[in-house]
Amino acid sequence: MPNDVPVPANLRDLNVRTAWNDAGGAARARELFTTSFGGVPEGVWAAPGRVNIVGEHTDYNGGLALPIALPHRTFVAVSPRTDRVLRLVSSVADGVVEVDLDAVGPAGTPAEVRGWPSYVAGVGWALEQAGLASALPGLDVAVVSCVPTGSGLSSSAALECSVAVAWDELAGLGLAGRAAAPSDPGRSRLVEACVRAENDIAGAPTGGMDQAASLRARAGHALLLDCRDGGAEHVPFDLAASGLELLVIDTRAEHSHAGGEYGQRRATCEAAVRLLAAPDLRAVADATRAGQTSLEDVLPRLADDEQRRRVRHVVTEIDRVRALVHLLRDESDDRLRGRSLDEAGRLLNASHDSLREDYEVSSPELDLAVETARRTGAHGARMTGGGFGGSAIALVDDDAVETVIRAVDDAFDGAGLRAPGFLRAVASPPAGRVG
Ligand code: GLA
């Protein structure tokens, strides 16, 4: 395909995942559309996967998170139909799937939509449920993607959000606008619809970070998300200016959020909140920060050691987001250099250790990736996303990227694990029309 961003020659023997650029992704989506449905699509829309810098398992606790949009995107070539039928095809699934928009119902009911089509149908269902659209048109949709699936990099949110911006434009909803402003009510409504699609129709009880990153991020910036009120700020995130890179290590140990562990973490936090008679764990984090209480006061009021460790993770993780944002906002020449860089690395490491020990969502593969990256030169490294497999990130000097990649690859080989994948993460633009 024309115009893909090439992998540097010295890394071609490794599993480095290229990000398609918009022209290359749109061409692939159009081709799949034409071979599947005939004719040409009305347009092509794309939405990015995301990687979270810090602030894990905080979103459903009303906390703070700090994701960036990846350069890796899902592309959908779409034409509207005159009926209420979805015809869906994906480059990684067999055949054309048809879904009747009038027969879509929640996961676990007889009307549930199974598998990946639920993410598409769910967006339409949620837009209508929220009163943002009435009787959306059916669509013919061809999906291609360079966001790795099952890697904790939000391939499902990328699919939802690409479909959301397509439907938004084709049905004239006027919610997506041209670009993401920090306080963008239209895009926030689309985020909510995509979250409902995932929660209610796909049946995965996730928070809202992934969809917000995909729809509200900004190139060159991290997205500081306030998950209590939906507020967002764009924080400068230009690592290259500090001679750094963010390396994503995809362990290829697959994760699934529809599985029970993620929901259990969420339920434990909700039980703790009830015991503390607090609105959410964000309130606990804010109160400890303001000196009104402390973890020493709060933790003994919880039911058991498990609750105590979960709460300690969430409260300290929210603090780590604030601390990293403070470092990123430094406008002096010291930003992410010297002590500032050491501190940023320390925050990432502390996040991982807390997720491993207190929240218990890491895995042997994630720990191996993190430990190897730290040992071979990363300033800091942590698992990212929901955990139980998926991906890790490492903050690395740009001239040490190859060393770290090779060391992690060797370590996985030595442990008899599948060869990991690598992505070079640059803060990229949000969902929108690309062709
Ligand atoms: C998954 C979920 C998000 C968030 C993260 C953990 O990615 O989809 O909503 O909860 O896990 O931070």
Side-chain angles (χ1 to χ4, degrees):
M1 276 290 165
N3 303 326
D4 283 343
V5 185
V7 173
N10 59 335
L11 299 175
R12 288 211 185 117
D13 60 318
L14 294 157
N15 195 0
V16 178
R17 306 278 171 75
T18 311
W20 302 336
N21 68 11
D22 285 350
R28 287 174 170 89
R30 267 196 222 98
E31 190 179 314
L32 181 63
F33 186 99
T34 302
T35 53
S36 308
F37 305 123
V40 289
E42 177 96 12
V44 182
W45 289 261
R50 66 92 191 93
V51 70
N52 193 19
I53 312 302
V54 73
E56 220 65 84
H57 288 277
T58 53
D59 59 352
Y60 53 82
N61 286 304
L64 302 172
L66 192 70
I68 60 168
L70 286 169
H72 300 71
R73 291 157 83 84
T74 292
F75 296 79
V76 290
V78 185
S79 282
R81 297 172 55 88
T82 52
D83 57 17
R84 295 265 294 161
V85 171
L86 293 175
R87 286 198 303 171
L88 310 174
V89 66
S90 156
S91 61
V92 293
D94 287 335
V96 174
V97 179
E98 291 203 10
V99 181
D100 175 358
L101 277 175
D102 290 316
V104 174
T109 70
E112 82 173 353
V113 181
R114 285 173 196 273
W116 71 271
S118 64
Y119 297 108
V120 180
V123 171
W125 177 88
L127 287 169
E128 292 178 357
Q129 287 280 315
L132 296 167
S134 60
L136 286 166
L139 304 174
D140 286 340
V141 184
V143 184
V144 300
S145 183
C146 62
V147 183
T149 52
S151 301
L153 300 173
S154 294
S155 57
S156 55
L159 176 57
E160 291 151 10
C161 296
S162 59
V163 168
V165 287
W167 239 325
D168 176 63
E169 185 171 337
L170 292 170
L173 308 183
L175 295 167
R178 280 234 178 111
S183 58
D184 190 329
R187 281 185 177 244
S188 298
R189 295 294 85 72
L190 291 180
V191 170
E192 285 159 15
C194 291
V195 175
R196 281 203 72 190
E198 180 138 352
N199 290 171
D200 295 356
I201 303 302
T206 53
M209 168 175 69
D210 310 342
Q211 295 79 4
S214 193
L215 280 158
R216 300 178 73 192
R218 181 169 160 194
H221 293 74
L223 184 72
L224 172 58
L225 268 179
D226 185 327
C227 302
R228 176 188 264 175
D229 62 10
E233 289 175 51
H234 292 139
V235 181
F237 194 74
D238 178 8
L239 293 182
S242 306
L244 297 166
E245 257 200 45
L246 190 71
L247 179 66
V248 179
I249 303 161
D250 171 6
T251 66
R252 299 175 76 206
E254 295 220 357
H255 79 136
S256 163
H257 288 151
E261 290 275 2
Y262 182 98
Q264 280 171 24
R265 297 299 180 283
R266 212 174 158 154
T268 303
C269 291
E270 284 160 9
V273 158
R274 282 194 295 277
L275 262 181
L276 296 171
D280 50 27
L281 292 183
R282 166 66 175 282
V284 178
D286 286 354
T288 56
R289 186 161 178 265
Q292 293 155 357
T293 184
S294 66
L295 277 177
E296 289 70 39
D297 293 334
V298 169
L299 298 183
R301 290 162 54 203
L302 294 168
D304 54 29
D305 186 53
E306 182 181 307
Q307 264 189 17
R308 283 191 274 279
R309 286 183 294 122
R310 306 296 188 248
V311 169
R312 183 166 57 197
H313 165 73
V314 174
V315 169
T316 57
E317 185 78 353
I318 292 171
D319 277 348
R320 285 186 282 272
V321 178
R322 290 189 203 283
L324 189 61
V325 166
H326 180 72
L327 296 175
L328 293 173
R329 287 209 169 119
D330 177 5
E331 288 184 359
S332 78
D333 290 345
D334 296 338
R335 175 159 47 141
L336 295 191
R337 294 179 199 278
R339 280 173 47 196
S340 162
L341 178 54
D342 291 346
E343 177 60 9
R346 193 196 65 74
L347 290 166
L348 298 187
N349 290 341
S351 171
H352 183 78
D353 298 347
S354 175
L355 286 158
R356 188 188 63 218
E357 284 157 29
D358 276 353
Y359 222 65
E360 294 182 288
V361 292
S362 190
S363 70
E365 296 86 353
L366 286 166
D367 291 341
L368 181 62
V370 164
E371 280 156 22
T372 309
R374 288 179 187 170
R375 188 165 43 73
T376 55
H379 297 281
R382 59 180 287 270
M383 55 153 282
T384 185
F388 314 109
S391 295
I393 54 171
L395 185 61
V396 181
D397 289 333
D398 49 16
D399 58 6
V401 171
E402 182 179 353
T403 307
V404 173
I405 287 183
R406 289 197 184 280
V408 173
D409 193 68
D410 283 350
F412 272 56
D413 190 37
L417 297 168
R418 279 173 90 186
F422 301 93
L423 291 79
R424 306 178 80 175
V426 178
S428 297
R433 185 165 185 162
V434 295

